[in-house]
Amino acid sequence: MATPVIETQNVYRIYEGAAGYTPALRGISLTVPRGEFLAIMGPSGSGKSTLMNILGCLDRPTTGTYRLQGIDVSDLSDDDLAHVRSTQLGFVFQSFNLLPRASVMRNVILPLLYSPVDPRERELRAIKALRAVDLPEEYWDHGSNELSGGQVQRVAIARALVADPPLLLADEPTGNLDTATGEMVMRTFLRLKARDKTVVLITHDAEVAAWADRTVHIRDGRLLTAEEERAFVERTARGARAAAGASDKDAASAVVPAGPTTPAPIAGPREASAL
Amino acid sequence: MRIRDLLAETFSAIRANRARSLLTILGIVIGISAVIAMTALIDGVKYAMVAQLGLNQSRLVMINAYPNGEPLQRSDLRQLEKGMTDYEFLTGTAGTSSSVSTGQVKLDGIYTNGVEDKYFVAMGSKFAEGRGFSEDEVDESALVAVVSQGLANKLWGQDADSVVGKSLSVGNDRYSVVGVLEDANGYTTGNETLYVPLSTFQTRIYNWGLDQVYGYAREGADLDTLGERTKSYLVSYYHLTGEDADGYVYIQTMKSMIDQLDSTMGAFQLLMTAVAGISLVVGGIGIMNMMLTNVTERIREIGLRKALGARRSDITRQFLLESVALCLVGGVFGILFGYLGAWALATLGSGLITSGMGMQITPVVTPSTVLLASGICIGIGLVFGYGPARRASRLDPVEALRYQ
């Protein structure tokens, strides 16, 4: 079997705070093969953001090992982790995180400033990435604050793609988008998967997770076992039927972030881009 | 991160905060203005004085020698010239004040200078009309004279067409004018001098030795060591010892005069340095404050850059360069305002001084001054930008991305 893109073994992440030690992750073992589209689902406080930070090499496990592309990154120095991020990883954030004063083109090129890519190649790569996310050429020299939410997220995905990393990490990428734009973003991920990219998506939303090849559930810092998962799915389904009885509208708009079940704070594209 | 990318990022960051950046660099602008105005004025005064003293002949060494209290004579110079090979020639002058008349006009107390033919070469004199003395005229005590333009104006009026060929009297002798000297810098105040051949002066006007000897150094000679060598040569030539050596031989070069000038400028320089120093420190603190604000405002951007692969050093460099660039912009304005300020002060100062000394001060900004100012700016940018830049580089990317 080929080397998996992600392989974690018994990863713990314990925070030290005034209240003592808080374990955010408690023995996560997860393997993601190349070309898989994986959704990690869990409510807020489940540890999914912590897991995302560790998978994204922004944080290190307290114990346990994390192999990215077969390389153990659990104990790398800050600078080495930065190098791993610039060559192996693409991030897509819920709040987009584009630089508002810079053009679309410059935003997409940004990761290449920190990578060994030849400066003469940058523009070409950015054009490729923007084509891959279907952003019309007329927007390329616009300021990122002149775009709609869906366009902004496509720019952000283009930025994640520009260094051609094998792994894309998306943290609630549709959290600030309406249903139609959210779907468009998910379709973009499917296309990338078809091009042998590995995509890991973090969400609290079952409808979004349904786009993925596989979904793992995280609760209290642990991945659910197959049985726990089956029980959980049944419970959710019952809840959904009850909700559908109460209000058809709510159930139908499960992807819509403005729904009452959405725990994530909502920032409009304008505020979010006020970085 | 490449330098060009860094510069582009810096430029766009400063442009995004134009108004705040401009206000912040005010302290730097004032400080650098003070530095520039100070050095420009001091250099200007220096040049003006050098021009005023007629010492733009940088090869001139002034020798005052009274071995055992007696002045040197012309014949001594010819002897000394043989031993002092560092000089192209030595030339001596003797002077006194005398009454000069043309028949219509009589002037008392005109400084009358007995000079040799080479005196005008040594001084780099320019003739408005006519010529200097020939060697023969000096050797044969000819009754010829050179007048300064100021004296010519007084004797024959400003409108006189030609002065060469006219005659004037000193005592019972009639001299024929052979040349008119341009006044230094075109100023006429207090510049009424009559020149006659040295031998004529000594035989007919005042019989005394040489007041002043000028040595005209060979091209490329180092004036400092030349001064030392000249002194020790004279000391041993006249067998002077101890106090006599210092009392009877005094050597001055243009360089030593400028050094003297520098020390008299010291007080002014100290004051301006204090002003500059204080405003530069205040300016630096302003820069630091702005950079800290910048870092706080851009925490999420820093988090993003780190997530995208920026290393600590990339972030440090980005913010350091930003503060250095701010300071340099301040420096550019400072150099500009400093130069303008120096002009204003010079115009004001010249007005006050001219009446007494006939001096025009032109501020001088040299490349080394500009380099110094730029160096100071870079230094301030680095020193006061380091703290904020370090803070930015040490931010935890996870925390920074979550920052609202």
Side-chain angles (χ1 to χ4, degrees):
Chain A
M1 189 184 149
T3 318
V5 174
I6 290 173
E7 191 178 17
T8 72
Q9 267 170 356
N10 212 19
V11 162
Y12 276 77
R13 180 68 176 93
I14 298 161
Y15 290 113
E16 251 183 276
Y21 297 101
T22 319
L25 296 180
R26 301 190 289 180
I28 301 272
S29 297
L30 177 68
T31 303
V32 184
R34 189 175 181 81
E36 188 176 45
F37 183 1
L38 174 78
I40 298 174
M41 255 191 92
S44 50
S46 60
K48 63 181 192 304
S49 292
T50 306
L51 180 55
M52 162 90 167
N53 290 337
I54 284 175
L55 294 182
C57 294
L58 293 167
D59 195 4
R60 294 184 197 83
T62 310
T63 65
T65 57
Y66 171 26
R67 287 172 184 281
L68 178 62
Q69 294 272 70
I71 299 159
D72 188 350
V73 294
S74 335
D75 286 317
L76 292 185
S77 70
D78 283 355
D79 278 358
D80 289 339
L81 281 183
H83 181 72
V84 169
R85 290 197 293 271
S86 88
T87 55
Q88 307 291 326
L89 286 159
F91 287 94
V92 179
F93 305 96
Q94 177 178 7
S95 49
F96 321 128
N97 283 338
L98 295 191
L99 299 181
R101 57 169 194 269
S103 69
V104 164
M105 200 45 130
R106 262 198 62 208
N107 265 295
V108 174
I109 284 176
L110 189 62
L112 298 183
L113 302 188
Y114 304 109
S115 82
V117 171
D118 188 323
R120 283 165 298 188
E121 238 182 82
R122 287 176 188 161
E123 200 133 325
L124 223 68
R125 288 218 186 195
I127 290 170
K128 246 173 81 184
L130 284 165
R131 292 236 163 91
V133 297
D134 273 336
L135 189 79
E137 197 168 336
E138 61 199 271
Y139 294 109
W140 293 358
D141 55 357
H142 280 218
S144 59
N145 44 3
E146 298 166 36
L147 305 181
S148 73
Q151 288 166 335
V152 168
Q153 194 57 303
R154 275 186 282 169
V155 174
I157 296 173
R159 180 181 64 191
L161 286 174
V162 76
D164 200 25
L167 175 59
L168 283 188
L169 289 175
D171 186 1
E172 303 275 9
T174 59
N176 286 327
L177 302 175
D178 62 45
T179 321
T181 8
E183 273 186 23
M184 203 178 57
V185 166
M186 297 318 287
R187 277 184 216 289
T188 309
F189 285 135
L190 280 185
R191 272 210 312 279
L192 296 174
K193 169 194 137 59
R195 284 167 46 191
D196 215 24
K197 297 278 179 210
T198 307
V199 180
V200 173
L201 173 75
I202 292 206
T203 184
H204 65 277
D205 188 326
E207 296 245 348
V208 172
W211 290 84
D213 302 335
R214 175 162 73 107
T215 303
V216 293
H217 295 267
I218 184 168
R219 281 285 185 288
D220 302 325
R222 279 222 288 260
L223 296 182
L224 298 188
T225 61
E227 282 151 53
E228 289 169 325
E229 205 173 307
R230 212 173 304 125
F232 167 76
V233 170
E234 274 171 29
R235 245 190 354 260
T236 317
R238 271 203 302 276
R241 269 200 301 279
S247 160
D248 280 2
K249 218 171 117 216
D250 274 4
S253 60
V255 183
V256 179
T261 51
T262 307
I266 295 161
R270 259 166 49 100
E271 295 155 66
S273 60
L275 188 70
Chain B
M1 207 174 175
R2 274 163 249 259
I3 287 290
R4 267 184 64 181
D5 299 331
L6 265 176
L7 287 174
E9 293 287 322
T10 304
F11 183 63
S12 103
I14 290 179
R15 238 184 15 176
N17 280 324
R18 232 168 302 168
R20 190 165 68 188
S21 306
L22 274 179
L23 286 175
T24 306
I25 60 177
L26 235 113
I28 305 290
V29 172
I30 294 169
I32 294 297
S33 294
V35 171
I36 292 291
M38 170 180 75
T39 48
L41 267 184
I42 288 176
D43 285 351
V45 168
K46 223 183 279 180
Y47 283 132
M49 283 199 143
V50 167
Q52 174 68 19
L53 295 169
L55 294 181
N56 35 6
Q57 285 292 335
S58 59
R59 290 156 67 182
L60 227 46
V61 176
M62 279 160 285
I63 304 165
N64 288 68
Y66 295 88
N68 306 313
E70 291 295 313
L72 297 181
Q73 295 298 334
R74 245 188 110 200
S75 51
D76 296 327
L77 291 188
R78 302 291 90 87
Q79 286 302 314
L80 286 170
E81 264 174 349
K82 283 178 197 154
M84 294 157 80
T85 50
D86 294 319
Y87 295 103
E88 250 175 48
F89 58 83
L90 299 174
T91 183
T93 69
T96 184
S97 64
S98 51
S99 300
V100 180
S101 79
T102 59
Q104 282 90 26
V105 183
K106 187 169 191 296
L107 298 170
D108 289 321
I110 296 300
Y111 191 72
T112 306
N113 216 356
V115 300
E116 294 181 290
D117 49 309
K118 282 175 176 152
Y119 171 83
F120 299 110
V121 177
M123 289 296 153
S125 307
K126 290 198 180 77
F127 286 88
E129 194 188 344
R131 57 171 176 84
F133 303 129
S134 69
E135 208 178 329
D136 286 346
E137 283 167 343
V138 176
D139 286 342
E140 292 161 11
S141 308
L143 289 172
V144 288
V146 166
V147 293
S148 69
Q149 185 73 59
L151 181 60
N153 290 349
K154 282 219 168 161
L155 289 173
W156 294 284
Q158 301 243 0
D159 307 324
D161 283 343
S162 175
V163 171
V164 170
K166 293 193 191 292
S167 60
L168 54 82
S169 313
V170 177
N172 298 320
D173 300 310
R174 286 180 74 78
Y175 293 80
S176 134
V177 175
V178 295
V180 179
L181 274 185
E182 261 179 32
D183 286 316
N185 306 317
Y187 285 85
T188 54
T189 333
N191 206 347
E192 289 140 19
T193 312
L194 174 69
Y195 300 89
V196 297
L198 181 59
S199 48
T200 316
F201 181 88
Q202 285 180 321
T203 51
R204 294 180 179 266
I205 298 177
Y206 188 61
N207 194 5
W208 181 242
L210 303 174
D211 299 333
Q212 175 82 62
V213 173
Y214 297 98
Y216 193 66
R218 289 191 190 283
E219 198 119 29
D222 176 49
L223 288 195
D224 277 341
T225 56
L226 186 51
E228 296 290 317
R229 286 233 292 278
T230 303
K231 181 161 183 171
S232 60
Y233 181 82
L234 289 172
V235 166
S236 71
Y237 186 86
Y238 289 108
H239 309 292
L240 302 174
T241 49
E243 275 180 23
D244 287 353
D246 285 328
Y248 292 139
V249 179
Y250 183 63
I251 309 285
Q252 211 175 14
T253 63
M254 193 180 73
K255 188 152 183 304
S256 68
M257 292 195 67
I258 291 174
D259 290 346
Q260 220 172 331
L261 193 67
D262 278 344
S263 67
T264 52
M265 289 285 169
F268 176 56
Q269 208 155 0
L270 200 71
L271 182 75
M272 292 296 267
T273 308
V275 171
I278 291 169
S279 61
L280 285 176
V281 168
V282 171
I285 292 169
I287 296 278
M288 191 166 174
N289 189 27
M290 167 157 178
M291 290 313 295
L292 282 173
T293 316
N294 265 349
V295 170
T296 312
E297 270 180 1
R298 280 152 68 189
I299 283 184
R300 269 164 72 95
E301 178 188 327
I302 295 163
L304 172 74
R305 285 176 187 274
K306 285 200 152 183
L308 298 182
R311 288 165 305 170
R312 264 189 196 174
S313 57
D314 291 322
I315 303 289
T316 311
R317 265 184 241 158
Q318 186 185 339
F319 282 88
L320 260 189
L321 193 67
E322 216 172 300
S323 80
V324 168
L326 273 175
C327 291
L328 275 177
V329 172
V332 168
F333 281 111
I335 290 171
L336 221 70
F337 291 143
Y339 188 57
L340 291 177
W343 262 108
L345 280 174
T347 314
L348 207 75
S350 297
L352 294 175
I353 302 170
T354 304
S355 51
M357 291 172 71
M359 195 161 89
Q360 180 66 37
I361 303 165
T362 308
V364 180
V365 175
T366 59
S368 63
T369 311
V370 172
L371 274 180
L372 172 76
S374 311
I376 292 174
C377 291
I378 293 173
I380 292 173
L382 289 177
V383 167
F384 289 94
Y386 181 72
R390 193 178 137 92
R391 212 186 125 190
S393 75
R394 300 196 151 227
L395 285 173
D396 174 38
V398 173
E399 297 286 325
L401 274 170
R402 214 186 289 151
Y403 187 84
Q404 289 299 320

